[in-house]
PDB file of all heavy atoms in Angstrom:
ATOM      1  N   HIS L 117       6.697   7.933  13.754  1.00 75.00           N
ATOM      2  CA  HIS L 117       7.519   7.737  14.949  1.00 75.00           C
ATOM      3  C   HIS L 117       7.416   8.928  15.913  1.00 75.00           C
ATOM      4  O   HIS L 117       7.670   8.779  17.107  1.00 75.00           O
ATOM      5  CB  HIS L 117       8.983   7.514  14.566  1.00 75.00           C
ATOM      6  CG  HIS L 117       9.253   6.123  14.073  1.00 75.00           C
ATOM      7  ND1 HIS L 117       9.333   5.036  14.910  1.00 75.00           N
ATOM      8  CD2 HIS L 117       9.447   5.648  12.817  1.00 75.00           C
ATOM      9  CE1 HIS L 117       9.580   3.945  14.214  1.00 75.00           C
ATOM     10  NE2 HIS L 117       9.640   4.283  12.934  1.00 75.00           N
ATOM     11  N   ASP L 121       1.025   8.906  21.296  1.00 88.00           N
ATOM     12  CA  ASP L 121       0.540   7.527  21.300  1.00 88.00           C
ATOM     13  C   ASP L 121      -0.870   7.382  20.728  1.00 88.00           C
ATOM     14  O   ASP L 121      -1.139   6.489  19.914  1.00 88.00           O
ATOM     15  CB  ASP L 121       0.579   6.962  22.721  1.00 88.00           C
ATOM     16  CG  ASP L 121       2.003   6.793  23.223  1.00 88.00           C
ATOM     17  OD1 ASP L 121       2.927   6.759  22.384  1.00 88.00           O
ATOM     18  OD2 ASP L 121       2.188   6.696  24.453  1.00 88.00           O
ATOM     19  N   PHE L 124      -0.893   7.919  17.006  1.00 89.00           N
ATOM     20  CA  PHE L 124      -0.240   6.804  16.331  1.00 89.00           C
ATOM     21  C   PHE L 124      -1.179   5.614  16.194  1.00 89.00           C
ATOM     22  O   PHE L 124      -1.253   4.981  15.142  1.00 89.00           O
ATOM     23  CB  PHE L 124       1.022   6.383  17.079  1.00 89.00           C
ATOM     24  CG  PHE L 124       1.615   5.094  16.572  1.00 89.00           C
ATOM     25  CD1 PHE L 124       2.252   5.057  15.340  1.00 89.00           C
ATOM     26  CD2 PHE L 124       1.498   3.929  17.308  1.00 89.00           C
ATOM     27  CE1 PHE L 124       2.776   3.862  14.847  1.00 89.00           C
ATOM     28  CE2 PHE L 124       2.018   2.738  16.831  1.00 89.00           C
ATOM     29  CZ  PHE L 124       2.665   2.705  15.598  1.00 89.00           C
ATOM     30  N   LEU L 155      -0.733  -7.045  17.098  1.00 95.00           N
ATOM     31  CA  LEU L 155       0.161  -6.048  17.693  1.00 95.00           C
ATOM     32  C   LEU L 155      -0.589  -4.752  18.011  1.00 95.00           C
ATOM     33  O   LEU L 155      -0.314  -4.094  19.022  1.00 95.00           O
ATOM     34  CB  LEU L 155       1.336  -5.775  16.756  1.00 95.00           C
ATOM     35  CG  LEU L 155       2.352  -6.913  16.647  1.00 95.00           C
ATOM     36  CD1 LEU L 155       3.306  -6.674  15.479  1.00 95.00           C
ATOM     37  CD2 LEU L 155       3.134  -7.060  17.955  1.00 95.00           C
ATOM     38  N   ASP L 158      -2.531  -5.433  21.195  1.00 94.00           N
ATOM     39  CA  ASP L 158      -1.652  -5.412  22.369  1.00 94.00           C
ATOM     40  C   ASP L 158      -1.278  -3.982  22.750  1.00 94.00           C
ATOM     41  O   ASP L 158      -1.288  -3.616  23.931  1.00 94.00           O
ATOM     42  CB  ASP L 158      -0.374  -6.208  22.088  1.00 94.00           C
ATOM     43  CG  ASP L 158      -0.629  -7.705  22.037  1.00 94.00           C
ATOM     44  OD1 ASP L 158      -1.710  -8.144  22.485  1.00 94.00           O
ATOM     45  OD2 ASP L 158       0.248  -8.439  21.542  1.00 94.00           O
ATOM     46  N   ALA L 159      -0.933  -3.169  21.744  1.00 93.00           N
ATOM     47  CA  ALA L 159      -0.543  -1.788  22.013  1.00 93.00           C
ATOM     48  C   ALA L 159      -1.726  -0.978  22.552  1.00 93.00           C
ATOM     49  O   ALA L 159      -1.566  -0.157  23.459  1.00 93.00           O
ATOM     50  CB  ALA L 159       0.012  -1.139  20.740  1.00 93.00           C
ATOM     51  N   SER L 160      -2.924  -1.197  22.004  1.00 93.00           N
ATOM     52  CA  SER L 160      -4.113  -0.471  22.473  1.00 93.00           C
ATOM     53  C   SER L 160      -4.432  -0.835  23.919  1.00 93.00           C
ATOM     54  O   SER L 160      -4.747   0.040  24.737  1.00 93.00           O
ATOM     55  CB  SER L 160      -5.310  -0.806  21.574  1.00 93.00           C
ATOM     56  OG  SER L 160      -5.086  -0.393  20.247  1.00 93.00           O
ATOM     57  N   LYS L 161      -4.339  -2.117  24.242  1.00 93.00           N
ATOM     58  CA  LYS L 161      -4.602  -2.569  25.606  1.00 93.00           C
ATOM     59  C   LYS L 161      -3.583  -1.972  26.572  1.00 93.00           C
ATOM     60  O   LYS L 161      -3.934  -1.496  27.666  1.00 93.00           O
ATOM     61  CB  LYS L 161      -4.557  -4.093  25.659  1.00 93.00           C
ATOM     62  CG  LYS L 161      -4.874  -4.669  27.026  1.00 93.00           C
ATOM     63  CD  LYS L 161      -4.856  -6.195  26.988  1.00 93.00           C
ATOM     64  CE  LYS L 161      -5.140  -6.784  28.361  1.00 93.00           C
ATOM     65  NZ  LYS L 161      -5.112  -8.282  28.319  1.00 93.00           N
ATOM     66  N   ALA L 162      -2.307  -1.986  26.185  1.00 92.00           N
ATOM     67  CA  ALA L 162      -1.256  -1.429  27.043  1.00 92.00           C
ATOM     68  C   ALA L 162      -1.420   0.078  27.195  1.00 92.00           C
ATOM     69  O   ALA L 162      -1.190   0.633  28.280  1.00 92.00           O
ATOM     70  CB  ALA L 162       0.115  -1.757  26.450  1.00 92.00           C
ATOM     71  N   TYR L 163      -1.832   0.747  26.116  1.00 92.00           N
ATOM     72  CA  TYR L 163      -2.054   2.200  26.164  1.00 92.00           C
ATOM     73  C   TYR L 163      -3.186   2.540  27.124  1.00 92.00           C
ATOM     74  O   TYR L 163      -3.074   3.471  27.936  1.00 92.00           O
ATOM     75  CB  TYR L 163      -2.375   2.699  24.760  1.00 92.00           C
ATOM     76  CG  TYR L 163      -2.776   4.151  24.681  1.00 92.00           C
ATOM     77  CD1 TYR L 163      -1.851   5.167  24.923  1.00 92.00           C
ATOM     78  CD2 TYR L 163      -4.089   4.513  24.361  1.00 92.00           C
ATOM     79  CE1 TYR L 163      -2.228   6.503  24.834  1.00 92.00           C
ATOM     80  CE2 TYR L 163      -4.466   5.833  24.273  1.00 92.00           C
ATOM     81  CZ  TYR L 163      -3.534   6.826  24.517  1.00 92.00           C
ATOM     82  OH  TYR L 163      -3.913   8.156  24.435  1.00 92.00           O
ATOM     83  N   GLN L 164      -4.279   1.784  27.059  1.00 90.00           N
ATOM     84  CA  GLN L 164      -5.411   2.040  27.948  1.00 90.00           C
ATOM     85  C   GLN L 164      -5.035   1.795  29.407  1.00 90.00           C
ATOM     86  O   GLN L 164      -5.389   2.580  30.294  1.00 90.00           O
ATOM     87  CB  GLN L 164      -6.595   1.152  27.555  1.00 90.00           C
ATOM     88  CG  GLN L 164      -7.206   1.504  26.212  1.00 90.00           C
ATOM     89  CD  GLN L 164      -7.793   2.911  26.180  1.00 90.00           C
ATOM     90  OE1 GLN L 164      -8.264   3.429  27.198  1.00 90.00           O
ATOM     91  NE2 GLN L 164      -7.739   3.540  25.019  1.00 90.00           N
ATOM     92  N   ALA L 165      -4.301   0.719  29.669  1.00 90.00           N
ATOM     93  CA  ALA L 165      -3.899   0.409  31.042  1.00 90.00           C
ATOM     94  C   ALA L 165      -3.000   1.485  31.615  1.00 90.00           C
ATOM     95  O   ALA L 165      -3.100   1.835  32.804  1.00 90.00           O
ATOM     96  CB  ALA L 165      -3.181  -0.946  31.084  1.00 90.00           C
ATOM     97  N   ASN L 166      -2.141   2.059  30.778  1.00 90.00           N
ATOM     98  CA  ASN L 166      -1.215   3.080  31.262  1.00 90.00           C
ATOM     99  C   ASN L 166      -1.838   4.461  31.285  1.00 90.00           C
ATOM    100  O   ASN L 166      -1.288   5.379  31.897  1.00 90.00           O
ATOM    101  CB  ASN L 166       0.048   3.091  30.395  1.00 90.00           C
ATOM    102  CG  ASN L 166       1.194   3.829  31.046  1.00 90.00           C
ATOM    103  OD1 ASN L 166       1.656   3.459  32.118  1.00 90.00           O
ATOM    104  ND2 ASN L 166       1.656   4.884  30.389  1.00 90.00           N
ATOM    105  N   SER L 167      -2.975   4.624  30.620  1.00 87.00           N
ATOM    106  CA  SER L 167      -3.658   5.928  30.611  1.00 87.00           C
ATOM    107  C   SER L 167      -4.593   6.088  31.802  1.00 87.00           C
ATOM    108  O   SER L 167      -4.943   7.213  32.179  1.00 87.00           O
ATOM    109  CB  SER L 167      -4.447   6.097  29.306  1.00 87.00           C
ATOM    110  OG  SER L 167      -3.591   6.086  28.191  1.00 87.00           O
ATOM    111  N   ARG L 172      -2.274   2.810  36.376  1.00 85.00           N
ATOM    112  CA  ARG L 172      -0.956   3.171  35.855  1.00 85.00           C
ATOM    113  C   ARG L 172       0.134   2.975  36.903  1.00 85.00           C
ATOM    114  O   ARG L 172      -0.002   3.394  38.045  1.00 85.00           O
ATOM    115  CB  ARG L 172      -0.966   4.618  35.374  1.00 85.00           C
ATOM    116  CG  ARG L 172       0.353   5.073  34.744  1.00 85.00           C
ATOM    117  CD  ARG L 172       0.171   6.402  34.045  1.00 85.00           C
ATOM    118  NE  ARG L 172      -0.373   7.423  34.943  1.00 85.00           N
ATOM    119  CZ  ARG L 172      -0.970   8.526  34.539  1.00 85.00           C
ATOM    120  NH1 ARG L 172      -1.146   8.732  33.242  1.00 85.00           N
ATOM    121  NH2 ARG L 172      -1.420   9.407  35.409  1.00 85.00           N
ATOM    122  N   ASN L 173       1.220   2.318  36.515  1.00 90.00           N
ATOM    123  CA  ASN L 173       2.378   2.130  37.388  1.00 90.00           C
ATOM    124  C   ASN L 173       3.589   1.821  36.524  1.00 90.00           C
ATOM    125  O   ASN L 173       3.524   1.913  35.293  1.00 90.00           O
ATOM    126  CB  ASN L 173       2.119   1.000  38.408  1.00 90.00           C
ATOM    127  CG  ASN L 173       1.688  -0.299  37.748  1.00 90.00           C
ATOM    128  OD1 ASN L 173       2.195  -0.661  36.687  1.00 90.00           O
ATOM    129  ND2 ASN L 173       0.730  -0.995  38.358  1.00 90.00           N
ATOM    130  N   HIS L 174       4.688   1.452  37.159  1.00 89.00           N
ATOM    131  CA  HIS L 174       5.914   1.173  36.405  1.00 89.00           C
ATOM    132  C   HIS L 174       5.717   0.009  35.441  1.00 89.00           C
ATOM    133  O   HIS L 174       6.211   0.033  34.306  1.00 89.00           O
ATOM    134  CB  HIS L 174       7.061   0.858  37.373  1.00 89.00           C
ATOM    135  CG  HIS L 174       8.335   0.463  36.681  1.00 89.00           C
ATOM    136  ND1 HIS L 174       9.102   1.357  35.969  1.00 89.00           N
ATOM    137  CD2 HIS L 174       8.962  -0.749  36.579  1.00 89.00           C
ATOM    138  CE1 HIS L 174      10.142   0.739  35.460  1.00 89.00           C
ATOM    139  NE2 HIS L 174      10.086  -0.543  35.815  1.00 89.00           N
ATOM    140  N   VAL L 175       4.990  -0.995  35.875  1.00 88.00           N
ATOM    141  CA  VAL L 175       4.767  -2.172  35.025  1.00 88.00           C
ATOM    142  C   VAL L 175       3.965  -1.801  33.777  1.00 88.00           C
ATOM    143  O   VAL L 175       4.299  -2.219  32.660  1.00 88.00           O
ATOM    144  CB  VAL L 175       4.039  -3.282  35.815  1.00 88.00           C
ATOM    145  CG1 VAL L 175       3.660  -4.435  34.888  1.00 88.00           C
ATOM    146  CG2 VAL L 175       4.921  -3.779  36.949  1.00 88.00           C
ATOM    147  N   THR L 176       2.908  -1.000  33.933  1.00 88.00           N
ATOM    148  CA  THR L 176       2.109  -0.617  32.766  1.00 88.00           C
ATOM    149  C   THR L 176       2.902   0.296  31.835  1.00 88.00           C
ATOM    150  O   THR L 176       2.729   0.243  30.617  1.00 88.00           O
ATOM    151  CB  THR L 176       0.809   0.094  33.191  1.00 88.00           C
ATOM    152  OG1 THR L 176       1.127   1.314  33.899  1.00 88.00           O
ATOM    153  CG2 THR L 176      -0.034  -0.814  34.086  1.00 88.00           C
ATOM    154  N   SER L 177       3.784   1.129  32.414  1.00 89.00           N
ATOM    155  CA  SER L 177       4.609   2.007  31.586  1.00 89.00           C
ATOM    156  C   SER L 177       5.583   1.204  30.730  1.00 89.00           C
ATOM    157  O   SER L 177       5.718   1.440  29.526  1.00 89.00           O
ATOM    158  CB  SER L 177       5.375   2.989  32.477  1.00 89.00           C
ATOM    159  OG  SER L 177       6.251   3.798  31.701  1.00 89.00           O
ATOM    160  N   VAL L 178       6.244   0.244  31.362  1.00 89.00           N
ATOM    161  CA  VAL L 178       7.183  -0.606  30.623  1.00 89.00           C
ATOM    162  C   VAL L 178       6.434  -1.442  29.587  1.00 89.00           C
ATOM    163  O   VAL L 178       6.886  -1.600  28.448  1.00 89.00           O
ATOM    164  CB  VAL L 178       7.965  -1.523  31.586  1.00 89.00           C
ATOM    165  CG1 VAL L 178       8.769  -2.564  30.806  1.00 89.00           C
ATOM    166  CG2 VAL L 178       8.888  -0.699  32.474  1.00 89.00           C
ATOM    167  N   GLY L 179       5.259  -1.951  29.965  1.00 90.00           N
ATOM    168  CA  GLY L 179       4.472  -2.747  29.037  1.00 90.00           C
ATOM    169  C   GLY L 179       4.034  -1.950  27.821  1.00 90.00           C
ATOM    170  O   GLY L 179       4.049  -2.460  26.693  1.00 90.00           O
ATOM    171  N   LYS L 180       3.650  -0.700  28.042  1.00 91.00           N
ATOM    172  CA  LYS L 180       3.238   0.150  26.923  1.00 91.00           C
ATOM    173  C   LYS L 180       4.417   0.417  25.985  1.00 91.00           C
ATOM    174  O   LYS L 180       4.288   0.315  24.759  1.00 91.00           O
ATOM    175  CB  LYS L 180       2.675   1.474  27.433  1.00 91.00           C
ATOM    176  CG  LYS L 180       2.197   2.401  26.315  1.00 91.00           C
ATOM    177  CD  LYS L 180       1.860   3.775  26.831  1.00 91.00           C
ATOM    178  CE  LYS L 180       3.101   4.569  27.157  1.00 91.00           C
ATOM    179  NZ  LYS L 180       3.761   5.128  25.962  1.00 91.00           N
ATOM    180  N   LYS L 181       5.569   0.747  26.570  1.00 91.00           N
ATOM    181  CA  LYS L 181       6.742   1.027  25.737  1.00 91.00           C
ATOM    182  C   LYS L 181       7.127  -0.187  24.896  1.00 91.00           C
ATOM    183  O   LYS L 181       7.450  -0.075  23.721  1.00 91.00           O
ATOM    184  CB  LYS L 181       7.916   1.451  26.622  1.00 91.00           C
ATOM    185  CG  LYS L 181       7.748   2.823  27.252  1.00 91.00           C
ATOM    186  CD  LYS L 181       8.931   3.171  28.142  1.00 91.00           C
ATOM    187  CE  LYS L 181       8.743   4.534  28.793  1.00 91.00           C
ATOM    188  NZ  LYS L 181       9.876   4.870  29.713  1.00 91.00           N
ATOM    189  N   ARG L 182       7.080  -1.374  25.507  1.00 92.00           N
ATOM    190  CA  ARG L 182       7.434  -2.587  24.773  1.00 92.00           C
ATOM    191  C   ARG L 182       6.432  -2.872  23.670  1.00 92.00           C
ATOM    192  O   ARG L 182       6.809  -3.204  22.542  1.00 92.00           O
ATOM    193  CB  ARG L 182       7.513  -3.766  25.737  1.00 92.00           C
ATOM    194  CG  ARG L 182       7.837  -5.098  25.071  1.00 92.00           C
ATOM    195  CD  ARG L 182       7.950  -6.224  26.081  1.00 92.00           C
ATOM    196  NE  ARG L 182       9.080  -6.056  26.964  1.00 92.00           N
ATOM    197  CZ  ARG L 182       9.437  -6.931  27.901  1.00 92.00           C
ATOM    198  NH1 ARG L 182       8.715  -8.034  28.083  1.00 92.00           N
ATOM    199  NH2 ARG L 182      10.482  -6.713  28.669  1.00 92.00           N
ATOM    200  N   ALA L 183       5.128  -2.719  23.968  1.00 92.00           N
ATOM    201  CA  ALA L 183       4.089  -2.998  22.978  1.00 92.00           C
ATOM    202  C   ALA L 183       4.173  -2.032  21.800  1.00 92.00           C
ATOM    203  O   ALA L 183       4.025  -2.442  20.639  1.00 92.00           O
ATOM    204  CB  ALA L 183       2.705  -2.922  23.631  1.00 92.00           C
ATOM    205  N   PHE L 184       4.425  -0.758  22.071  1.00 92.00           N
ATOM    206  CA  PHE L 184       4.528   0.230  20.997  1.00 92.00           C
ATOM    207  C   PHE L 184       5.795   0.003  20.177  1.00 92.00           C
ATOM    208  O   PHE L 184       5.788   0.177  18.944  1.00 92.00           O
ATOM    209  CB  PHE L 184       4.505   1.647  21.564  1.00 92.00           C
ATOM    210  CG  PHE L 184       3.109   2.213  21.705  1.00 92.00           C
ATOM    211  CD1 PHE L 184       2.235   1.719  22.658  1.00 92.00           C
ATOM    212  CD2 PHE L 184       2.668   3.225  20.877  1.00 92.00           C
ATOM    213  CE1 PHE L 184       0.950   2.220  22.794  1.00 92.00           C
ATOM    214  CE2 PHE L 184       1.379   3.747  20.993  1.00 92.00           C
ATOM    215  CZ  PHE L 184       0.517   3.229  21.955  1.00 92.00           C
ATOM    216  N   ALA L 185       6.884  -0.383  20.829  1.00 91.00           N
ATOM    217  CA  ALA L 185       8.125  -0.663  20.103  1.00 91.00           C
ATOM    218  C   ALA L 185       7.932  -1.856  19.166  1.00 91.00           C
ATOM    219  O   ALA L 185       8.380  -1.830  18.005  1.00 91.00           O
ATOM    220  CB  ALA L 185       9.265  -0.930  21.084  1.00 91.00           C
ATOM    221  N   ASP L 186       7.260  -2.892  19.644  1.00 92.00           N
ATOM    222  CA  ASP L 186       6.993  -4.067  18.809  1.00 92.00           C
ATOM    223  C   ASP L 186       6.116  -3.697  17.617  1.00 92.00           C
ATOM    224  O   ASP L 186       6.363  -4.124  16.479  1.00 92.00           O
ATOM    225  CB  ASP L 186       6.307  -5.161  19.630  1.00 92.00           C
ATOM    226  CG  ASP L 186       7.239  -5.810  20.631  1.00 92.00           C
ATOM    227  OD1 ASP L 186       8.471  -5.622  20.524  1.00 92.00           O
ATOM    228  OD2 ASP L 186       6.737  -6.499  21.545  1.00 92.00           O
ATOM    229  N   LEU L 187       5.094  -2.891  17.868  1.00 92.00           N
ATOM    230  CA  LEU L 187       4.176  -2.493  16.797  1.00 92.00           C
ATOM    231  C   LEU L 187       4.885  -1.627  15.763  1.00 92.00           C
ATOM    232  O   LEU L 187       4.739  -1.847  14.554  1.00 92.00           O
ATOM    233  CB  LEU L 187       2.976  -1.754  17.384  1.00 92.00           C
ATOM    234  CG  LEU L 187       1.965  -1.171  16.381  1.00 92.00           C
ATOM    235  CD1 LEU L 187       1.453  -2.245  15.429  1.00 92.00           C
ATOM    236  CD2 LEU L 187       0.809  -0.500  17.115  1.00 92.00           C
ATOM    237  N   LYS L 188       5.671  -0.656  16.213  1.00 90.00           N
ATOM    238  CA  LYS L 188       6.355   0.233  15.269  1.00 90.00           C
ATOM    239  C   LYS L 188       7.391  -0.525  14.454  1.00 90.00           C
ATOM    240  O   LYS L 188       7.577  -0.248  13.267  1.00 90.00           O
ATOM    241  CB  LYS L 188       6.991   1.398  16.024  1.00 90.00           C
ATOM    242  CG  LYS L 188       5.961   2.395  16.554  1.00 90.00           C
ATOM    243  CD  LYS L 188       6.600   3.557  17.299  1.00 90.00           C
ATOM    244  CE  LYS L 188       5.531   4.529  17.793  1.00 90.00           C
ATOM    245  NZ  LYS L 188       6.111   5.685  18.524  1.00 90.00           N
ATOM    246  N   GLY L 189       8.071  -1.475  15.096  1.00 88.00           N
ATOM    247  CA  GLY L 189       9.039  -2.271  14.360  1.00 88.00           C
ATOM    248  C   GLY L 189       8.385  -3.081  13.253  1.00 88.00           C
ATOM    249  O   GLY L 189       8.872  -3.134  12.117  1.00 88.00           O
ATOM    250  N   GLU L 242      15.601 -10.650  28.593  1.00 87.00           N
ATOM    251  CA  GLU L 242      15.757 -10.086  27.261  1.00 87.00           C
ATOM    252  C   GLU L 242      17.135 -10.423  26.701  1.00 87.00           C
ATOM    253  O   GLU L 242      18.136 -10.343  27.411  1.00 87.00           O
ATOM    254  CB  GLU L 242      15.607  -8.559  27.281  1.00 87.00           C
ATOM    255  CG  GLU L 242      14.266  -8.054  27.770  1.00 87.00           C
ATOM    256  CD  GLU L 242      14.211  -6.534  27.812  1.00 87.00           C
ATOM    257  OE1 GLU L 242      15.241  -5.885  27.517  1.00 87.00           O
ATOM    258  OE2 GLU L 242      13.141  -6.008  28.148  1.00 87.00           O
ATOM    259  N   ARG L 286      16.460  -1.527  12.450  1.00 84.00           N
ATOM    260  CA  ARG L 286      17.489  -0.880  13.264  1.00 84.00           C
ATOM    261  C   ARG L 286      18.701  -1.801  13.319  1.00 84.00           C
ATOM    262  O   ARG L 286      18.728  -2.862  12.685  1.00 84.00           O
ATOM    263  CB  ARG L 286      16.941  -0.594  14.666  1.00 84.00           C
ATOM    264  CG  ARG L 286      15.635   0.201  14.643  1.00 84.00           C
ATOM    265  CD  ARG L 286      15.032   0.338  16.020  1.00 84.00           C
ATOM    266  NE  ARG L 286      15.822   1.222  16.875  1.00 84.00           N
ATOM    267  CZ  ARG L 286      15.545   1.458  18.156  1.00 84.00           C
ATOM    268  NH1 ARG L 286      14.524   0.852  18.726  1.00 84.00           N
ATOM    269  NH2 ARG L 286      16.289   2.278  18.861  1.00 84.00           N
ATOM    270  N   ARG L 288      19.684  -3.289  15.968  1.00 88.00           N
ATOM    271  CA  ARG L 288      19.507  -4.232  17.078  1.00 88.00           C
ATOM    272  C   ARG L 288      18.068  -4.724  17.096  1.00 88.00           C
ATOM    273  O   ARG L 288      17.180  -4.122  16.492  1.00 88.00           O
ATOM    274  CB  ARG L 288      19.857  -3.573  18.413  1.00 88.00           C
ATOM    275  CG  ARG L 288      18.931  -2.462  18.838  1.00 88.00           C
ATOM    276  CD  ARG L 288      19.366  -1.862  20.174  1.00 88.00           C
ATOM    277  NE  ARG L 288      18.431  -0.867  20.655  1.00 88.00           N
ATOM    278  CZ  ARG L 288      18.467   0.410  20.332  1.00 88.00           C
ATOM    279  NH1 ARG L 288      19.409   0.857  19.527  1.00 88.00           N
ATOM    280  NH2 ARG L 288      17.577   1.262  20.815  1.00 88.00           N
ATOM    281  N   THR L 290      15.427  -7.015  19.999  1.00 88.00           N
ATOM    282  CA  THR L 290      15.317  -7.611  21.322  1.00 88.00           C
ATOM    283  C   THR L 290      14.395  -8.814  21.294  1.00 88.00           C
ATOM    284  O   THR L 290      13.265  -8.727  20.805  1.00 88.00           O
ATOM    285  CB  THR L 290      14.792  -6.579  22.352  1.00 88.00           C
ATOM    286  OG1 THR L 290      15.667  -5.444  22.382  1.00 88.00           O
ATOM    287  CG2 THR L 290      14.737  -7.197  23.741  1.00 88.00           C
ATOM    288  N   TYR L 292      12.458 -11.590  23.711  1.00 85.00           N
ATOM    289  CA  TYR L 292      11.963 -11.679  25.074  1.00 85.00           C
ATOM    290  C   TYR L 292      11.732 -13.140  25.453  1.00 85.00           C
ATOM    291  O   TYR L 292      11.208 -13.926  24.669  1.00 85.00           O
ATOM    292  CB  TYR L 292      10.658 -10.887  25.215  1.00 85.00           C
ATOM    293  CG  TYR L 292      10.796  -9.430  24.864  1.00 85.00           C
ATOM    294  CD1 TYR L 292      10.395  -8.950  23.616  1.00 85.00           C
ATOM    295  CD2 TYR L 292      11.355  -8.527  25.762  1.00 85.00           C
ATOM    296  CE1 TYR L 292      10.535  -7.614  23.275  1.00 85.00           C
ATOM    297  CE2 TYR L 292      11.494  -7.185  25.429  1.00 85.00           C
ATOM    298  CZ  TYR L 292      11.087  -6.744  24.194  1.00 85.00           C
ATOM    299  OH  TYR L 292      11.234  -5.422  23.872  1.00 85.00           O
TER     300      TYR L 292
END
Side-chain angles (χ1 to χ4, degrees):
H117 282 285
D121 292 341
F124 170 72
L155 289 168
D158 288 345
S160 298
K161 182 178 179 180
Y163 174 69
Q164 292 298 329
N166 196 61
S167 298
R172 183 168 55 200
N173 54 39
H174 176 70
V175 173
T176 62
S177 176
V178 171
K180 181 189 74 78
K181 290 179 181 178
R182 178 178 294 183
F184 271 70
D186 289 346
L187 175 55
K188 288 180 179 180
E242 299 178 357
R286 306 174 70 184
R288 67 180 185 273
T290 302
Y292 301 100

